[in-house]
Every structure is written in structure tokens, then in C-alpha cells.
Amino acid sequence: GRSDQVVEGDPLKNKRNVMSCIRTYTGIMFDPLNPDPALINMVDIAHALSLLCRANGHFRNFYSVAQHSINCMEEARARGHSGKVQLACLLHDASEAYLSDVTRPVKQELPKYLEIEEPLQEAIWRKYLGAELTEDEKARVFEIDDAMLYYEFKALMDTRLAEEEPELKSEPEFGFRGFEEVEEGFLRVFGELSRRREMLLEMLKGKIHRATVKQAELDYVGSITIDENLLKAAGILEYE
């Protein structure tokens, strides 16, 4: 169940310096400049992101950071990415629950903000993913983030951010959804992905033994092409 009860009491009596902390939805005194992983709370993250509007509030309807995050997760799932990447997509803007959202042009001119944001975001990922993201996994997350941004601006501002449309395999919804509905949806998806990560640790799912390599290109950046019948026989799914 949800542990979203607000902590009662006077925050000024807290041992932490109240001027260097923010008081979260659940009553935690959190220091964004020195994030304590033990105090990072998923209920706080889901609640705050469901109330933060994308595009600094300039979209034609309220569309939250939490909705964006859920849509990114669904796109990662549609592309066949791992559960780890799906969860990383869901949480890729989680630091904004403690820092708020800043528009990209402004953020690029605030190097100090980036110095604060990066370690906080990494701490959130480490806590809930249980492992560091590889550079390839981060690239997949950021690619989906940018693709979703393109379609959000197209749908909610009649604006195309690039001449060529990025790939999109899912069918995201950009309409207004109730704050509580989005918050509960975020927590539900997080729970599903977390349980899957905790329950499964596959070391070897399938194996193709004594296969013949018919072609090799050392400079090719990508994956490997395997006959469909071999994949089926080994129990390996495409993109897996």
C-alpha cells in the first residue's frame, strides 16, 4: 500500500537546517544540494511530478512531468527495451520533484543547476535501478525523451521542433488527466517495474551453440543479425 501520510510537527524543530532543505509532501526535510538516498521517497516524486506542468505551463492544456515520464516509459516498452531502461525512462525527470522544472534554454545557461541536478538524478537512478546505467542505456533514455518532446510540442503547441519526425512506436496521450489519477498511475507503473526487477535476475535465458558466423564487419556499429528460426529455437525474442 501507499505510505503517503504527511509527517506532523513543526519543521523548525527538525535537526536539519530548515533554510537548506525543502519540506516534501510526506514531511521529509530534504537537502537537494546534498541528497541523502535514504530520504528520496517515491511518493514524494510521484506527487510532485503530477503537479508540475511541462513547457513552463505554456501548453494548451495542463500536461504534467509525470504524464511525460509515463509516456516515455511506454515508448521504451514499445521499443522492446529492457525493464531497467523502462524504469529509467519513468524516473528520468525525477530530480525535478526536488528542483522544479527549468526550460532548456535557461538550463543551458545555468551550469550550477546542472552541477546540482546530475548527482541528484544519478542518486535517484541508483536507488531504484539497483545499478548504474551504461552510456548506451542513457542514450536510449535521452533519445526517447527528445522524441516525446517533439510530439508534445506538435500536439500541444502546433510546433515542429525538427524537420524530420523522430521514431515513435507507442501512442501517447497528451490530453489533461486528473492529478490524483496521474500520481496513482505513476506509482502503479513504478511498482510493477520494481517488482519485476526484484524478482528476475536472468544470467542466461537462451543460447545458440556452435553457430556459424557468415559475415563480420568490424566497423559496423549495431547489433547482430540472427536467423529468425534460430531465435525461435533458442527462445530469444527480437531486441532482447
Side-chain angles (χ1 to χ4, degrees):
R2 290 176 53 183
S3 59
D4 56 357
Q5 290 185 331
V6 177
V7 176
E8 300 294 337
D10 185 353
L12 293 177
K13 295 180 180 179
N14 194 293
K15 291 181 180 180
R16 290 171 171 269
N17 184 346
V18 70
M19 297 304 293
S20 66
C21 298
I22 64 170
R23 182 179 172 93
T24 71
Y25 170 62
T26 62
I28 294 171
M29 300 303 293
F30 187 84
D31 183 355
L33 278 64
N34 300 284
D36 181 350
L39 299 181
I40 295 171
N41 184 290
M42 187 50 59
V43 172
D44 284 332
I45 290 171
H47 181 76
L49 296 188
S50 71
L51 296 176
L52 282 176
C53 189
R54 292 272 288 171
N56 219 33
H58 292 287
F59 281 155
R60 67 165 57 99
N61 59 255
F62 188 93
Y63 174 78
S64 69
V65 176
Q67 286 175 268
H68 164 76
S69 301
I70 293 171
N71 282 339
C72 286
M73 183 282 301
E74 294 287 1
E75 177 63 18
R77 178 176 292 172
R79 295 188 185 194
H81 292 334
S82 68
K84 181 183 177 186
V85 172
Q86 291 176 40
L87 185 53
C89 281
L90 181 70
L91 301 178
H92 77 281
D93 279 336
S95 61
E96 293 177 8
Y98 301 103
L99 302 178
S100 191
D101 191 11
V102 178
T103 57
R104 288 193 178 191
V106 176
K107 186 181 293 188
Q108 292 172 0
E109 299 300 320
L110 297 176
K112 190 63 178 179
Y113 179 94
L114 298 176
E115 291 176 15
I116 297 170
E117 179 188 45
E118 184 175 352
L120 175 55
Q121 182 59 48
E122 292 291 341
I124 294 170
W125 270 334
R126 280 195 302 273
K127 175 167 182 171
Y128 294 114
L129 297 180
E132 299 282 349
L133 285 171
T134 66
E135 290 305 313
D136 177 68
E137 288 170 334
K138 285 184 180 180
R140 295 184 183 201
V141 172
F142 297 146
E143 180 183 7
I144 290 174
D145 184 27
D146 286 341
M148 200 60 62
L149 177 71
Y150 174 91
Y151 287 99
E152 289 164 355
F153 269 72
K154 180 181 177 182
L156 297 173
M157 296 195 85
D158 296 322
T159 300
R160 296 176 183 270
L161 298 178
E163 293 184 4
E164 185 176 346
E165 289 195 341
E167 177 186 35
L168 200 68
K169 291 186 176 293
S170 60
E171 298 180 356
E173 293 288 337
F174 301 121
F176 172 76
R177 293 173 57 197
F179 306 129
E180 291 185 1
E181 176 191 352
V182 173
E183 178 181 346
E184 291 171 359
F186 189 99
L187 289 171
R188 183 175 60 254
V189 172
F190 169 77
E192 293 170 356
L193 291 171
S194 296
R195 285 192 296 273
R196 190 182 309 168
R197 182 183 64 81
E198 291 169 358
M199 292 171 62
L200 299 178
L201 184 61
E202 294 191 60
M203 305 305 293
L204 176 62
K205 181 187 177 221
K207 181 179 180 181
I208 299 175
H209 185 54
R210 300 183 70 178
T212 300
V213 178
K214 299 174 66 176
Q215 183 184 14
E217 296 181 22
L218 295 179
D219 295 328
Y220 175 67
V221 178
S223 53
I224 183 172
T225 303
I226 303 176
D227 183 84
E228 185 179 6
N229 292 326
L230 286 176
L231 289 179
K232 288 181 179 179
I236 301 174
L237 301 176
E238 187 178 8
Y239 302 116
E240 191 173 39

